[in-house]
Structure formats: structure tokens, C-alpha cells
Amino acid sequence: MSELLTERSGRVAAARKLVRRAGRDAAGLFLAEGRQAVAEALADPDGAVEVFATEAAATAHRDLLAATAVPVRLVTDKAAAGLSETVTPQGLVAVCALRDVPAGDVLAAPPALAVALAELADPGNAGTVLRTADACGAGAVVFGAGSADPYGGKAVRSSAGSLFHVDVVRGVPLAEFLPAWRAAGGTVLAADGGGEVALDEAADAGGLDGPVLWLFGNEARGVPADLAGLVDARVRIPMRGRAESLNLAAAAAICLYTTQLAQR
């Protein structure tokens, strides 16, 4: 560790550009803030490139930072705040390499469980779906063209480190990816409140046997009609209570958890 870097230092200024998607895509890097995300980044051989920490954060997380060969640079509180999108910055940020995987790699060996997101708007939901997919053993999350960026600050925080555990595919035209998944021997299921098949019925009939790709749509509009026509089935979650619907993250959790139980 060296002297404190300020918000005007070249390294901090370069890292600050990663707060925006254009900067991330141009540099091939993104920011991961907080102990959990930084720990996962440091545990991944291809994860963290460097770490910025305030003096307070470096002291609080000395065990984590002392165990890594990744450069750790001390920064002022103001510099750390410029790298954060939160109201209360944690003072610990890792610069990480983008983790994009080509769609062809996923299609060459489809995992037993995967997720595709069509026009997902909320980055918080993007991170939560990543976390849920990881918890349920999914091998990949495919972000269709027009979906939120999984490398944005809110998405990374919501993923709680799971971004480093699953393959991430971005910007894929789903109208091409879905047929290719089916051609590779997989099943595509669209989560749809008005679906013709109930989730429990699909499980009982063996419809959740892998490889299964779950397709989730926009929070407000659902799965686009053109994509709904490309799936094997539209699946609804039976609801016994009076709730009108479930939000996307909750629906994804139920569908993915039910699938991993069926596949177990």
C-alpha cells in the first residue's frame, strides 16, 4: 500500500469512468463495492485487477486485503465516494474484468439450468436474478439486447457476489438464441401469469428436466409476444391467495427453485 490517492489521481479518475456503462464497455472493466463483492472478486483468478480502500476500510478488512496479491491502493474518503453509487460508500472497491461469455460457448454445452432476460429494466432485479440463479445452481444468465447492465453498481450490489459464480452473456438477440437453445436439445419455458401450464404440473410431467432455459420478461410488460411464440411452453405460478401477481424477482426465485428440486 502507498500514499493516499485523491479524486484527481489518474488511477481514481480512470476508475470513476467505470460508473457509466460506456466507460465499462470501453475499458472492459467494472466496479465491485463492499466486502462480499470484493472478496468474491479476489477469490476469482480472473476477477479483480486492483482494489481501492480508504484507511478505515483497509483497517476493517485487513484480513481480506493482506491475503491477496492484487494491488491495494489507499484513497481518500472523497475519492472512494466518487467510485460509489450508494448514499453511504463502504470505502472498499475492486476494479474487475468484465465476465462476458460468448453465447456460442453456452450453446455448445447447455447447462441443466439457465436464465434468459428479455428487456429487463431494473438493475436491482438483474442482480437479484443473478443471485437466485447462482443459489439454484444455474450455469448461465443471458441478458437479452435492451436489458439492464449486470455490471452496473446496483446490479453488482444486488448480486451479492454471485456475478462471479455464473456465466454472463450480454446483448444477445433472443429471437436467435432461443431457437438455438432448443436446437441444442434444451427446453425453453417462459414465465407468464397467463400461461397454459401450471408450474407444479410441469414439474410432475417431467417438463423441468434439463437443460431448461427460463425466460423472464420486462417487469411491466412481461415476455414480448414475438419471443413467447418461440418457447416450448408458457408457465404460470399457481397462486392460492388473493395477490394479483408476483414481482419478477419473486417469480424467478420460485421457478428456479422448483426446477432445481425437480432436477435433483
Side-chain angles (χ1 to χ4, degrees):
M1 299 185 190
S2 56
E3 64 183 40
L4 267 64
L5 300 179
T6 72
E7 70 277 8
R8 288 187 286 273
S9 74
R11 285 190 176 280
V12 174
R16 195 162 56 245
K17 294 179 181 179
L18 305 179
V19 173
R20 296 184 176 278
R21 181 166 187 165
R24 294 192 291 270
D25 289 343
L29 301 168
F30 71 100
L31 300 176
E33 181 183 6
R35 182 183 175 96
Q36 181 63 31
V38 172
E40 297 295 349
L42 292 175
D44 188 324
D46 300 316
V49 175
E50 62 182 342
V51 175
F52 294 105
T54 62
E55 289 183 300
T59 299
H61 306 292
R62 64 165 61 91
D63 59 329
L64 175 65
L65 301 181
T68 181
V70 173
V72 178
R73 311 188 194 283
L74 290 178
V75 296
T76 63
D77 289 347
K78 186 175 181 180
L83 302 177
S84 174
E85 297 178 48
T86 63
V87 176
T88 307
Q90 300 185 49
L92 184 66
V93 181
V95 177
C96 309
L98 295 182
R99 306 180 50 76
D100 292 346
V101 173
D105 288 2
V106 175
L107 293 170
L113 178 59
V115 176
L117 301 171
E119 301 176 12
L120 182 78
D122 185 346
N125 278 337
T128 300
V129 170
L130 273 167
R131 186 176 183 178
T132 303
D134 178 23
C136 293
V141 178
V142 180
F143 289 80
S147 286
D149 184 11
Y151 300 114
K154 187 175 181 180
V156 175
R157 289 193 303 277
S158 297
S159 80
S162 288
L163 176 62
F164 296 95
H165 301 162
V166 299
D167 288 341
V168 173
V169 181
R170 285 195 304 164
V172 174
L174 292 180
E176 300 174 7
F177 185 86
L178 301 185
W181 177 276
R182 296 177 69 188
T187 299
V188 180
L189 301 176
D192 186 335
E196 65 273 8
V197 180
L199 181 60
D200 52 346
E201 294 171 352
D204 291 343
L208 303 184
D209 295 345
V212 169
L213 176 72
W214 273 102
L215 174 64
F216 300 99
N218 178 269
E219 292 87 345
R221 300 184 300 274
V223 174
D226 60 326
L227 297 181
L230 300 175
V231 307
D232 291 282
R234 296 182 304 120
V235 181
R236 69 182 186 278
I237 297 172
M239 294 188 290
R240 314 306 181 196
R242 298 171 60 187
E244 177 190 8
S245 62
L246 293 169
N247 67 28
L248 184 143
I254 293 171
C255 292
L256 296 179
Y257 184 73
T258 301
T259 303
Q260 65 97 17
L261 282 180
Q263 293 182 351
R264 185 181 62 185

